[in-house]
PDB file of all heavy atoms in Angstrom:
ATOM      1  N   LEU A 521     103.536  36.404-151.995  1.00  0.00           N
ATOM      2  CA  LEU A 521     103.937  37.399-153.001  1.00  0.00           C
ATOM      3  C   LEU A 521     105.445  37.597-152.985  1.00  0.00           C
ATOM      4  O   LEU A 521     106.080  37.737-154.035  1.00  0.00           O
ATOM      5  CB  LEU A 521     103.222  38.732-152.742  1.00  0.00           C
ATOM      6  CG  LEU A 521     101.743  38.770-153.118  1.00  0.00           C
ATOM      7  CD1 LEU A 521     101.058  39.985-152.493  1.00  0.00           C
ATOM      8  CD2 LEU A 521     101.573  38.793-154.637  1.00  0.00           C
ATOM      9  N   ARG A 524     107.192  35.061-155.002  1.00  0.00           N
ATOM     10  CA  ARG A 524     107.117  35.358-156.429  1.00  0.00           C
ATOM     11  C   ARG A 524     108.087  36.469-156.817  1.00  0.00           C
ATOM     12  O   ARG A 524     108.741  36.398-157.856  1.00  0.00           O
ATOM     13  CB  ARG A 524     105.703  35.833-156.776  1.00  0.00           C
ATOM     14  CG  ARG A 524     104.801  34.702-157.149  1.00  0.00           C
ATOM     15  CD  ARG A 524     103.413  35.248-157.431  1.00  0.00           C
ATOM     16  NE  ARG A 524     102.460  34.457-156.694  1.00  0.00           N
ATOM     17  CZ  ARG A 524     101.228  34.853-156.395  1.00  0.00           C
ATOM     18  NH1 ARG A 524     100.807  36.048-156.757  1.00  0.00           N
ATOM     19  NH2 ARG A 524     100.436  34.055-155.735  1.00  0.00           N
ATOM     20  N   THR A 565     108.104  42.562-162.814  1.00  0.00           N
ATOM     21  CA  THR A 565     107.351  41.350-162.477  1.00  0.00           C
ATOM     22  C   THR A 565     105.988  41.365-163.159  1.00  0.00           C
ATOM     23  O   THR A 565     105.532  40.370-163.720  1.00  0.00           O
ATOM     24  CB  THR A 565     107.182  41.244-160.944  1.00  0.00           C
ATOM     25  OG1 THR A 565     108.472  41.339-160.341  1.00  0.00           O
ATOM     26  CG2 THR A 565     106.538  39.932-160.543  1.00  0.00           C
ATOM     27  N   ARG A 569     104.070  39.090-166.605  1.00  0.00           N
ATOM     28  CA  ARG A 569     102.760  38.455-166.461  1.00  0.00           C
ATOM     29  C   ARG A 569     102.690  37.531-165.240  1.00  0.00           C
ATOM     30  O   ARG A 569     102.157  36.427-165.298  1.00  0.00           O
ATOM     31  CB  ARG A 569     102.375  37.718-167.757  1.00  0.00           C
ATOM     32  CG  ARG A 569     102.306  38.662-168.944  1.00  0.00           C
ATOM     33  CD  ARG A 569     101.747  38.000-170.149  1.00  0.00           C
ATOM     34  NE  ARG A 569     102.624  36.958-170.664  1.00  0.00           N
ATOM     35  CZ  ARG A 569     102.304  36.158-171.680  1.00  0.00           C
ATOM     36  NH1 ARG A 569     101.122  36.274-172.248  1.00  0.00           N
ATOM     37  NH2 ARG A 569     103.138  35.248-172.114  1.00  0.00           N
ATOM     38  N   ILE A 570     103.266  38.016-164.150  1.00  0.00           N
ATOM     39  CA  ILE A 570     103.178  37.299-162.877  1.00  0.00           C
ATOM     40  C   ILE A 570     102.191  38.045-161.983  1.00  0.00           C
ATOM     41  O   ILE A 570     102.236  39.279-161.908  1.00  0.00           O
ATOM     42  CB  ILE A 570     104.577  37.218-162.202  1.00  0.00           C
ATOM     43  CG1 ILE A 570     105.482  36.326-163.045  1.00  0.00           C
ATOM     44  CG2 ILE A 570     104.475  36.701-160.769  1.00  0.00           C
ATOM     45  CD1 ILE A 570     106.942  36.435-162.694  1.00  0.00           C
ATOM     46  N   SER A 571     101.315  37.304-161.323  1.00  0.00           N
ATOM     47  CA  SER A 571     100.266  37.953-160.529  1.00  0.00           C
ATOM     48  C   SER A 571     100.836  38.657-159.309  1.00  0.00           C
ATOM     49  O   SER A 571     101.643  38.101-158.559  1.00  0.00           O
ATOM     50  CB  SER A 571      99.235  36.918-160.081  1.00  0.00           C
ATOM     51  OG  SER A 571      98.441  37.484-159.057  1.00  0.00           O
ATOM     52  N   LEU A 572     100.396  39.882-159.141  1.00  0.00           N
ATOM     53  CA  LEU A 572     100.810  40.667-157.967  1.00  0.00           C
ATOM     54  C   LEU A 572      99.671  40.745-156.951  1.00  0.00           C
ATOM     55  O   LEU A 572      99.578  41.686-156.163  1.00  0.00           O
ATOM     56  CB  LEU A 572     101.234  42.075-158.406  1.00  0.00           C
ATOM     57  CG  LEU A 572     102.511  42.136-159.236  1.00  0.00           C
ATOM     58  CD1 LEU A 572     102.750  43.545-159.776  1.00  0.00           C
ATOM     59  CD2 LEU A 572     103.716  41.684-158.422  1.00  0.00           C
ATOM     60  N   THR A 573      98.796  39.773-157.007  1.00  0.00           N
ATOM     61  CA  THR A 573      97.670  39.699-156.076  1.00  0.00           C
ATOM     62  C   THR A 573      97.709  38.364-155.362  1.00  0.00           C
ATOM     63  O   THR A 573      98.009  37.344-155.984  1.00  0.00           O
ATOM     64  CB  THR A 573      96.347  39.821-156.861  1.00  0.00           C
ATOM     65  OG1 THR A 573      96.203  41.169-157.299  1.00  0.00           O
ATOM     66  CG2 THR A 573      95.147  39.474-155.973  1.00  0.00           C
ATOM     67  N   GLU A 574      97.411  38.375-154.056  1.00  0.00           N
ATOM     68  CA  GLU A 574      97.342  37.094-153.354  1.00  0.00           C
ATOM     69  C   GLU A 574      96.309  37.166-152.246  1.00  0.00           C
ATOM     70  O   GLU A 574      96.096  38.206-151.616  1.00  0.00           O
ATOM     71  CB  GLU A 574      98.720  36.721-152.777  1.00  0.00           C
ATOM     72  CG  GLU A 574      98.815  35.358-152.140  1.00  0.00           C
ATOM     73  CD  GLU A 574      98.441  34.189-153.058  1.00  0.00           C
ATOM     74  OE1 GLU A 574      98.704  34.261-154.275  1.00  0.00           O
ATOM     75  OE2 GLU A 574      97.859  33.214-152.550  1.00  0.00           O
TER      76      GLU A 574
END
Side-chain angles (χ1 to χ4, degrees):
L521 286 165
R524 270 178 229 160
T565 306
R569 300 188 293 175
I570 293 166
S571 165
L572 292 173
T573 288
E574 186 57 34

